[in-house]
Amino acid sequence: MLEALLAPRGLLTVLFAVSAVPPLGRPRRPSSSEIRDRVDHLLHAAMGLAMVLMLWSSVAEPIVPAMTCFFLAAGVWFPLTAVWSPRTATGFQADRTSAVAARLPHAIGMIAMVWMLHAPHAGAGAAHAHTTGSSVPARPFGGSAPAEAAGASVTAVLALSLLGCALWSLTRPMPAMRAAVRATRLAAAAEPFRHVRDGATALGTAVMLVMPH
């Protein structure tokens, strides 16, 4: 079973490594927006490195609380900076809501990272049984069937949310099929790398949620 996971692990490693590469050729922006974009990239790079660590080895128990606090703060950062952005602070409520919605996929990815640090994933019990030789897989979540079902539900909701975010990000830079094109879609088409990177990262995170590692 472990050998069968080598190929997806390798692909995910490449994906998260590429997601850590900063986009090139971006137009100059106001200084506050540029600083926010740099922090966004640092958070994504940290998440990518943590994902690679989780793919190939276990996270040391002493650093789990620190990583949890870091990624929880990162999850709050994305919607909070959308609300406090200079571009939306004096704008209409619809503009602010749109800005928060645009950054919500990043927040979901960070929350999924926190969940992966504390919850077992689909197939984890079977993988443990395979490596230890036991014929009865151990129940995750302390052996409680209701807790196990609740944990599986949270994993499913996060994975489906990330799949929706991936589809949304990957299709935003695509040419519109109608004459009237919204300004947000034109802006997305001007920076295809960023949206493809975000979509691929969301897709990889969804796979990480459901695969044993």
Side-chain angles (χ1 to χ4, degrees), residues 83-93 95-96:
V83 174
W84 286 354
S85 171
R87 289 175 286 187
T88 58
T90 59
F92 296 104
Q93 183 63 32
D95 296 334
R96 187 174 300 176

Side-chain angles (χ1 to χ4, degrees), residues 140-167:
F141 299 97
S144 171
E148 179 183 351
S153 298
V154 172
T155 299
V157 169
L158 285 172
L160 290 174
S161 300
L162 286 166
L163 286 175
C165 294
L167 182 62

Side-chain angles (χ1 to χ4, degrees), residues 19 26-27 38 66 69 101 105 143 155 161 194 198 204:
S19 70
R26 292 182 301 175
R38 289 179 178 178
C69 293
T155 299
S161 300
R194 180 165 63 90
D198 293 344

Side-chain angles (χ1 to χ4, degrees), residues 1-194:
M1 182 176 179
L2 295 177
E3 290 78 4
L5 293 175
L6 287 178
R9 282 181 179 180
L11 291 174
L12 288 171
T13 299
V14 173
L15 186 151
F16 290 121
V18 171
S19 70
V21 177
L24 303 176
R26 292 182 301 175
R28 296 291 298 177
R29 297 177 178 178
S31 57
S32 59
S33 298
E34 188 175 350
I35 292 173
R36 189 187 72 171
D37 290 346
R38 289 179 178 178
V39 174
D40 290 353
H41 170 66
L42 288 175
L43 293 177
H44 281 295
M47 180 181 174
L49 291 175
M51 288 288 196
V52 173
L53 174 64
M54 293 172 66
L55 277 169
W56 296 102
S57 64
S58 59
V59 179
E61 191 67 27
I63 67 172
V64 169
M67 291 179 67
T68 300
C69 293
F70 177 84
F71 288 112
L72 278 176
V76 174
W77 161 267
F78 287 101
L80 194 62
T81 50
V83 174
W84 286 354
S85 171
R87 289 175 286 187
T88 58
T90 59
F92 296 104
Q93 183 63 32
D95 296 334
R96 187 174 300 176
T97 302
S98 177
V100 172
R103 293 174 69 76
L104 198 58
H106 307 286
I108 295 174
M110 296 298 170
I111 298 303
M113 184 69 205
V114 173
W115 178 248
M116 281 188 283
L117 287 170
H118 292 276
H121 318 297
H128 176 74
H130 177 78
T131 55
T132 58
S134 173
S135 59
V136 180
R139 280 188 181 274
F141 299 97
S144 171
E148 179 183 351
S153 298
V154 172
T155 299
V157 169
L158 285 172
L160 290 174
S161 300
L162 286 166
L163 286 175
C165 294
L167 182 62
W168 181 65
S169 294
L170 291 171
T171 56
R172 286 187 75 190
M174 294 174 62
M177 299 181 66
R178 54 184 183 274
V181 182
R182 296 179 59 184
T184 54
R185 192 152 187 118
L186 288 173
E191 293 183 293
F193 176 87
R194 180 165 63 90

